[in-house]
Amino acid sequence: MFTGLLTPGSVLFFLYYMSTFKELKDVILGCASRANSSFQAGASNLVDIAINNAVIHAQRNQDFEWNKGTVTMACSPKGSIDTVLDEAGEAVKIKRIIKAYGTAVPTGDYDLSIPYLSKVSQIGDNTKARLNLTHVDRDTSRVIHQGKVVYMSPSPGDVYTLYFEAVKWLPRLSRDNDTNFLFDYAFDYLLYRSIVELNFYVREDERFNVTKDMIMSAWQSVIAWDASLISPTETEIEL
């Protein structure tokens, strides 16, 4: 069992100087004293899978500020969260929609959101309005979300584009030079979590000893860093 190299202090060097997919793989392989080929399983590499799982795990647990942004969705007359583009026009997967602009193109100045709700909530609003139990106007523009399907009601036409603020998923890592902000600001967490993931693929007597305290301490530091990205601005607005 590996017990020697993985301590918070030993990761400090890598935290500042290691920032790519290949570099993280090299650190893991160095700790294991094994060649990359020993983790090859057919067309898949177990170290690659472990690192990608660590990145996914972090995103499942936190809506990172740097993952948020404006996205567009083409509808005809309905759209899908599988066909979303970012501000650069690149296809992107989204974790969740934060705010809906409808068909209004956001400019960053006086943008206004419109109601964004599930189909079940829409049915409830429509039913209450029909029964005169509420002042909800069924003709007010709103964006409806059901599973992967998203659309505007009432429909503005057969073909239209919707705009949202959303939390995006980071793209999967595959090339040696692939990287993202977690490699720069959460390298220690990625290292620890990747090794935990890798432990599922190796024999018990070859597993790495990464304590829960090490992972939790690194994760709490990542959360604190992410919170600091927006907190000062919010404080200034409140004042």
Side-chain angles (χ1 to χ4, degrees), residues 77-97:
K78 295 182 178 181
S80 169
I81 60 173
D82 287 334
T83 56
V84 174
L85 303 179
D86 63 15
E87 292 175 282
E90 300 290 334
V92 65
K93 292 185 179 297
I94 58 173
K95 177 183 177 183
R96 70 180 186 91
I97 294 171

Side-chain angles (χ1 to χ4, degrees), residues 1-189:
M1 179 182 291
F2 175 86
T3 58
L5 292 177
L6 282 179
T7 64
S10 69
V11 176
L12 228 78
F13 174 82
F14 301 119
L15 182 59
Y16 291 103
Y17 293 98
M18 298 297 185
S19 59
T20 68
F21 188 35
K22 182 180 185 303
E23 288 165 340
L24 178 52
K25 288 192 291 184
D26 287 344
V27 173
I28 294 172
L29 293 170
C31 292
S33 298
R34 291 172 62 174
N36 190 47
S37 58
S38 67
F39 288 104
Q40 199 67 32
S44 301
N45 184 276
L46 300 181
V47 179
D48 292 9
I49 293 172
I51 294 172
N52 274 289
N53 283 349
V55 173
I56 292 170
H57 185 271
Q59 294 175 94
R60 283 176 182 160
N61 285 282
Q62 179 71 6
D63 290 343
F64 290 105
E65 289 299 324
W66 285 7
N67 274 1
K68 297 175 182 178
T70 304
V71 299
T72 62
M73 179 188 297
C75 300
S76 58
K78 295 182 178 181
S80 169
I81 60 173
D82 287 334
T83 56
V84 174
L85 303 179
D86 63 15
E87 292 175 282
E90 300 290 334
V92 65
K93 292 185 179 297
I94 58 173
K95 177 183 177 183
R96 70 180 186 91
I97 294 171
I98 304 171
K99 292 288 184 180
Y101 297 114
T103 56
V105 180
T107 64
D109 293 321
Y110 302 103
D111 303 322
L112 300 174
S113 65
I114 67 172
Y116 164 66
L117 59 161
S118 69
K119 186 173 183 179
V120 171
S121 295
Q122 181 207 26
I123 294 171
D125 283 355
N126 290 345
T127 303
K128 291 177 181 178
R130 174 103 182 207
L131 297 174
N132 295 319
L133 298 178
T134 180
H135 296 295
V136 172
D137 182 356
R138 288 179 295 169
D139 294 326
T140 299
S141 295
R142 61 189 71 179
V143 171
I144 312 302
H145 190 169
Q146 181 188 36
K148 290 187 175 183
V149 177
V150 180
Y151 58 95
M152 193 166 177
S153 177
S155 177
D158 293 334
V159 178
Y160 56 95
T161 300
L162 291 177
Y163 298 85
F164 303 97
E165 289 300 312
V167 181
K168 299 171 286 186
W169 288 101
L170 291 169
R172 190 170 184 83
L173 303 159
S174 59
R175 298 183 296 270
D176 284 349
N177 289 330
D178 283 349
T179 190
N180 57 57
F181 64 86
L182 292 175
F183 282 78
D184 288 328
Y185 302 104
F187 192 90
D188 52 346
Y189 173 77

